[in-house]
mmCIF file of all heavy atoms in Angstrom:
data_model
loop_
_atom_site.group_PDB
_atom_site.id
_atom_site.type_symbol
_atom_site.label_atom_id
_atom_site.label_comp_id
_atom_site.label_asym_id
_atom_site.label_seq_id
_atom_site.Cartn_x
_atom_site.Cartn_y
_atom_site.Cartn_z
ATOM 1 N N PRO X 89 262.362 216.323 -183.009
ATOM 2 C CA PRO X 89 261.916 216.477 -181.677
ATOM 3 C C PRO X 89 260.371 216.921 -181.646
ATOM 4 O O PRO X 89 259.954 217.369 -182.705
ATOM 5 C CB PRO X 89 262.763 217.475 -181.035
ATOM 6 C CG PRO X 89 263.266 218.315 -182.278
ATOM 7 C CD PRO X 89 263.406 217.343 -183.353
ATOM 8 N N ALA X 102 253.246 214.336 -198.298
ATOM 9 C CA ALA X 102 252.478 213.253 -198.840
ATOM 10 C C ALA X 102 251.567 213.761 -199.970
ATOM 11 O O ALA X 102 251.450 213.101 -200.977
ATOM 12 C CB ALA X 102 251.593 212.623 -197.737
ATOM 13 N N LEU X 108 251.856 207.671 -199.136
ATOM 14 C CA LEU X 108 250.852 207.493 -198.101
ATOM 15 C C LEU X 108 251.447 208.062 -196.794
ATOM 16 O O LEU X 108 252.507 207.617 -196.313
ATOM 17 C CB LEU X 108 250.472 206.032 -197.906
ATOM 18 C CG LEU X 108 249.553 205.757 -196.741
ATOM 19 C CD1 LEU X 108 248.192 206.360 -196.904
ATOM 20 C CD2 LEU X 108 249.477 204.248 -196.512
ATOM 21 N N THR X 112 251.230 206.411 -186.964
ATOM 22 C CA THR X 112 250.939 205.277 -186.184
ATOM 23 C C THR X 112 249.773 205.500 -185.315
ATOM 24 O O THR X 112 249.001 204.606 -184.969
ATOM 25 C CB THR X 112 252.184 204.820 -185.373
ATOM 26 O OG1 THR X 112 252.771 205.939 -184.703
ATOM 27 C CG2 THR X 112 253.283 204.220 -186.238
ATOM 28 N N LEU X 129 244.090 192.765 -180.256
ATOM 29 C CA LEU X 129 245.341 192.275 -179.533
ATOM 30 C C LEU X 129 246.010 193.535 -178.924
ATOM 31 O O LEU X 129 246.452 193.394 -177.723
ATOM 32 C CB LEU X 129 246.276 191.655 -180.580
ATOM 33 C CG LEU X 129 247.591 191.154 -180.004
ATOM 34 C CD1 LEU X 129 247.383 190.130 -178.884
ATOM 35 C CD2 LEU X 129 248.389 190.518 -181.149
ATOM 36 N N THR X 132 244.312 194.633 -175.632
ATOM 37 C CA THR X 132 244.581 193.778 -174.376
ATOM 38 C C THR X 132 245.816 194.412 -173.685
ATOM 39 O O THR X 132 245.810 194.382 -172.412
ATOM 40 C CB THR X 132 244.886 192.331 -174.720
ATOM 41 O OG1 THR X 132 246.033 192.219 -175.524
ATOM 42 C CG2 THR X 132 243.716 191.733 -175.500
ATOM 43 N N GLY X 154 250.428 197.192 -197.228
ATOM 44 C CA GLY X 154 250.058 196.243 -198.279
ATOM 45 C C GLY X 154 248.844 196.600 -199.033
ATOM 46 O O GLY X 154 248.486 195.903 -200.049
ATOM 47 N N PRO X 168 259.770 204.508 -186.633
ATOM 48 C CA PRO X 168 260.155 204.005 -185.294
ATOM 49 C C PRO X 168 260.524 205.120 -184.300
ATOM 50 O O PRO X 168 260.947 206.174 -184.729
ATOM 51 C CB PRO X 168 261.364 203.121 -185.574
ATOM 52 C CG PRO X 168 261.994 203.766 -186.823
ATOM 53 C CD PRO X 168 260.900 204.316 -187.584
ATOM 54 N N LYS X 175 265.405 198.466 -186.026
ATOM 55 C CA LYS X 175 265.952 197.196 -186.505
ATOM 56 C C LYS X 175 264.873 196.196 -186.839
ATOM 57 O O LYS X 175 265.014 195.475 -187.820
ATOM 58 C CB LYS X 175 266.866 196.649 -185.414
ATOM 59 C CG LYS X 175 268.162 197.429 -185.161
ATOM 60 C CD LYS X 175 268.924 196.853 -184.051
ATOM 61 C CE LYS X 175 270.256 197.559 -183.830
ATOM 62 N NZ LYS X 175 271.019 197.028 -182.710
ATOM 63 N N ALA X 176 263.845 196.190 -186.055
ATOM 64 C CA ALA X 176 262.713 195.295 -186.292
ATOM 65 C C ALA X 176 262.042 195.627 -187.572
ATOM 66 O O ALA X 176 261.572 194.734 -188.344
ATOM 67 C CB ALA X 176 261.695 195.258 -185.098
ATOM 68 N N GLY X 185 261.218 192.211 -199.371
ATOM 69 C CA GLY X 185 261.994 192.734 -200.495
ATOM 70 C C GLY X 185 262.045 194.229 -200.520
ATOM 71 O O GLY X 185 262.285 194.803 -201.531
ATOM 72 N N GLY X 215 238.731 226.765 -176.351
ATOM 73 C CA GLY X 215 239.812 225.946 -176.603
ATOM 74 C C GLY X 215 240.695 226.338 -177.846
ATOM 75 O O GLY X 215 241.645 225.610 -178.130
ATOM 76 N N VAL X 217 243.461 227.596 -180.161
ATOM 77 C CA VAL X 217 244.882 227.658 -179.845
ATOM 78 C C VAL X 217 245.539 228.886 -180.461
ATOM 79 O O VAL X 217 245.313 229.240 -181.644
ATOM 80 C CB VAL X 217 245.579 226.350 -180.311
ATOM 81 C CG1 VAL X 217 247.124 226.433 -180.008
ATOM 82 C CG2 VAL X 217 245.013 225.152 -179.655
ATOM 83 N N CYS X 231 238.637 236.514 -178.339
ATOM 84 C CA CYS X 231 238.041 235.201 -178.693
ATOM 85 C C CYS X 231 236.927 234.890 -177.624
ATOM 86 O O CYS X 231 237.100 235.003 -176.421
ATOM 87 C CB CYS X 231 239.093 234.157 -178.620
ATOM 88 S SG CYS X 231 238.491 232.393 -178.897
ATOM 89 N N THR X 234 236.308 237.083 -174.537
ATOM 90 C CA THR X 234 237.191 237.106 -173.393
ATOM 91 C C THR X 234 238.672 236.996 -173.841
ATOM 92 O O THR X 234 238.917 236.465 -174.894
ATOM 93 C CB THR X 234 236.888 235.989 -172.408
ATOM 94 O OG1 THR X 234 237.835 236.037 -171.286
ATOM 95 C CG2 THR X 234 237.068 234.608 -173.084
ATOM 96 N N LEU X 288 262.763 219.423 -197.727
ATOM 97 C CA LEU X 288 262.379 218.012 -197.516
ATOM 98 C C LEU X 288 262.097 217.350 -198.809
ATOM 99 O O LEU X 288 262.525 216.232 -199.048
ATOM 100 C CB LEU X 288 261.065 218.076 -196.632
ATOM 101 C CG LEU X 288 260.446 216.712 -196.201
ATOM 102 C CD1 LEU X 288 261.541 215.808 -195.615
ATOM 103 C CD2 LEU X 288 259.282 216.946 -195.243
#
Side-chain angles (χ1 to χ4, degrees):
L108 172 69
T112 49
L129 179 58
T132 63
K175 290 178 178 177
V217 179
C231 178
T234 179
L288 183 50

